[in-house]
Amino acid sequence: MMRLTKNHFYITAWALIFNYSCSQSADKKATIATDSLSTVATVPDSAAFKATIAGKQVGLFVLKNKNNVTAAITNYGGRLVSLLVPDNKGKLTDVILGYDSLKSYQKPREPYFGAIIGRYGNRIAKGKFSIDGKAYQLDINDGVNTLHGGFKGFYAQVFDAKQLSTNELELTYVSKDGEGGYPGNLSVKVHYILTDDNALKITYEATTDKPTVLNLTNHAYFNLNGAGSKTITDNQLQINADRFTPVDNTLIPTGKLQPVKGTPFDFTAFKTIGTDIGQTDDQLKNGKGYDHNFVLNKPSLTAAVATVKSPVTGIVMDVYTDEPGLQFYSGNFLTGDKHDGKHGAAYGYRSALCLETQHFPDAPNQPSFASTLLKPGQIYKTTTIYKFSAK
Ligand code: BGC
């Protein structure tokens, strides 16, 4: 409480100074108003991201478009650290949860904030799968399963970074044969592109020298009310999916594709996220809220597969992808027990949501799911776009 009050004082003082100086050159700064914080939207100080890890340079890379929409990305884990987009009054708002320094991203049990997830987004049952009769054992880092690539998935690896222009960053990484238990030397290339229509486009490419499984995604935690605001349960969500993949109590899909109609999982029309989240429902119980893969009716890079709207800022996010699935995670494991977020924010229970575009969880063990197998000679290619507007 004390801390909040203090922060408030400093934040207000800061805002006053900012307004007074009204610096046009303050590219990184713009006032924002959210439901819980009145603060200044900035990207973190790049000095706090400078380090050498495993002989590689880590830093913070800032992309900007002609509307001053700004994305900050660190090559540690390929993480999207900040994304400043205009609200319905034209004020820039940071919609991404994250930290002010590299150190915080390295702490144990960090919740994959903004990370590129690989080699496999979401869970593989018991960390086991087979290719051509050969069994592989992955790290068990989530109860009895493997999650998001294991103990040192891509979220904890240093990518090589090349800023190609003011609005494009290229990240590359070679994951060695056997890393995390996965076969094959895998070369991965990710591009973050900030377009002038206020979209963040993420493209992924990969090749391997041995058959392997691959399911890359981005684990951005969004709060369109502004990162640091209390909840996303007041946001409206629409997902163009008539079915989802129900899970067991370790969050492994049962293999069924269940219709959403008549269940809390029906987001085919806009619905406030909090409307059904508290219902008595076995699937909500297993996920401790929404933590499920939706089967997209029509993956597309031109028609949105999902849209989120904030009643506070009017910010609207449209999601486009060529992937068959979308993991909607309502931030059920966020605890907010520390004020370690950007600008001292505490990221509490359900204070953000993730919309992770992907193939289905545990596909390597589920013959009825689209295959995630990548063979030598094939090129893995996928694109996801998060596009912002405000009403
Ligand atoms: C998973 C959640 C998990 C979260 C980790 C999501 O992709 O579906 O179950 O807790 O990542 O932050």
Side-chain angles (χ1 to χ4, degrees):
M1 203 56 207
M2 195 47 205
R3 177 159 193 148
L4 244 187
T5 317
K6 245 188 175 172
N7 273 350
H8 234 89
F9 171 78
Y10 288 126
I11 284 161
T12 311
W14 216 111
L16 282 173
I17 292 163
F18 173 80
N19 279 338
Y20 176 70
S21 64
C22 198
S23 159
Q24 290 207 342
S25 64
D27 290 342
K28 293 176 173 181
K29 302 175 180 94
T31 49
I32 60 162
T34 71
D35 60 353
S36 70
L37 293 173
S38 178
T39 186
V40 172
T42 59
V43 299
D45 183 1
S46 57
F49 284 83
K50 280 212 170 88
T52 306
I53 300 177
K56 288 188 187 172
Q57 281 303 116
V58 177
L60 190 69
F61 300 84
V62 179
L63 307 181
K64 188 175 277 193
N65 75 3
K66 67 168 195 217
N67 309 315
N68 280 334
V69 169
T70 305
I73 297 140
T74 174
N75 56 324
Y76 176 74
R79 290 165 185 258
L80 181 60
V81 171
S82 295
L83 183 58
L84 315 185
V85 302
D87 71 2
N88 56 11
K89 296 191 186 74
K91 290 176 186 164
L92 290 183
T93 302
D94 189 352
V95 293
I96 299 287
L97 271 58
Y99 301 111
D100 284 325
S101 73
L102 176 64
K103 261 205 180 90
S104 299
Y105 282 99
Q106 293 175 291
K107 68 183 183 185
R109 306 196 60 78
E110 183 286 323
Y112 311 95
F113 279 165
I116 297 298
I117 300 292
R119 295 191 187 189
Y120 201 94
N122 215 275
R123 294 174 175 80
I124 294 179
K126 312 257 178 2
K128 288 184 197 301
F129 67 93
S130 298
I131 299 175
D132 299 332
K134 188 166 174 357
Y136 295 94
Q137 178 65 58
L138 309 172
D139 295 344
I140 301 299
N141 65 328
D142 185 70
V144 295
N145 302 315
T146 188
L147 174 66
H148 295 334
F151 290 120
K152 255 197 140 222
F154 293 2
Y155 61 88
Q157 302 290 352
V158 181
F159 288 70
D160 290 315
K162 211 193 277 175
Q163 182 143 4
L164 301 179
S165 66
T166 48
N167 64 347
E168 182 163 0
L169 179 71
E170 179 180 275
L171 299 174
T172 50
Y173 177 64
V174 178
S175 169
K176 292 265 163 59
D177 189 10
E179 187 181 277
Y182 291 91
N185 290 298
L186 182 83
S187 300
V188 179
K189 195 190 283 177
V190 177
H191 282 223
Y192 279 101
I193 306 157
L194 194 55
T195 60
D196 281 337
D197 59 354
N198 296 355
L200 183 68
K201 183 173 175 182
I202 311 174
T203 65
Y204 306 83
E205 248 186 73
T207 53
T208 181
D209 63 1
K210 278 187 194 164
T212 190
V213 293
L214 188 63
N215 194 22
L216 301 176
T217 192
N218 177 278
H219 209 302
Y221 283 71
F222 296 97
N223 188 329
L224 303 188
N225 299 347
S229 301
K230 280 197 183 66
T231 187
I232 45 79
T233 50
D234 61 355
N235 283 201
Q236 287 195 302
L237 173 65
Q238 195 247 329
I239 307 176
N240 189 9
D242 293 337
R243 293 170 300 169
F244 74 108
T245 53
V247 289
D248 67 16
N249 62 7
T250 73
L251 291 169
I252 293 293
T254 61
K256 294 200 178 104
L257 304 184
Q258 186 177 325
V260 296
K261 208 173 173 161
T263 77
F265 293 81
D266 191 350
F267 285 96
T268 52
F270 276 104
K271 181 167 74 176
T272 302
I273 292 169
T275 306
D276 294 329
I277 205 167
Q279 274 196 27
T280 307
D281 175 276
D282 281 350
Q283 282 304 313
L284 286 174
K285 191 170 160 208
N286 286 347
K288 302 195 168 40
Y290 295 108
D291 193 354
H292 295 78
N293 170 71
F294 285 72
V295 180
L296 296 174
N297 291 339
K298 203 167 176 259
S300 169
L301 295 176
T302 51
V305 297
T307 300
V308 190
K309 294 188 206 170
S310 160
V312 177
T313 58
I315 294 172
V316 177
M317 180 174 78
D318 288 309
V319 184
Y320 304 83
T321 188
D322 48 19
E323 286 288 335
L326 181 79
Q327 183 83 9
F328 166 37
Y329 168 55
S330 54
N332 314 308
F333 297 110
L334 293 174
T335 55
D337 50 6
K338 294 192 185 83
H339 286 264
D340 61 352
K342 284 181 282 186
H343 308 292
Y347 298 135
Y349 183 54
R350 296 185 177 154
S351 66
L353 59 85
C354 302
L355 294 173
E356 300 151 60
T357 55
Q358 58 181 20
H359 273 54
F360 303 171
D362 198 35
N365 297 307
Q366 306 264 0
S368 65
F369 290 177
S371 172
T372 50
L373 188 66
L374 181 71
K375 295 184 187 154
Q378 293 180 329
I379 302 178
Y380 173 99
K381 252 187 168 176
T382 176
T383 299
T384 290
I385 300 166
Y386 296 102
K387 184 165 187 277
F388 297 86
S389 55
K391 285 196 178 113

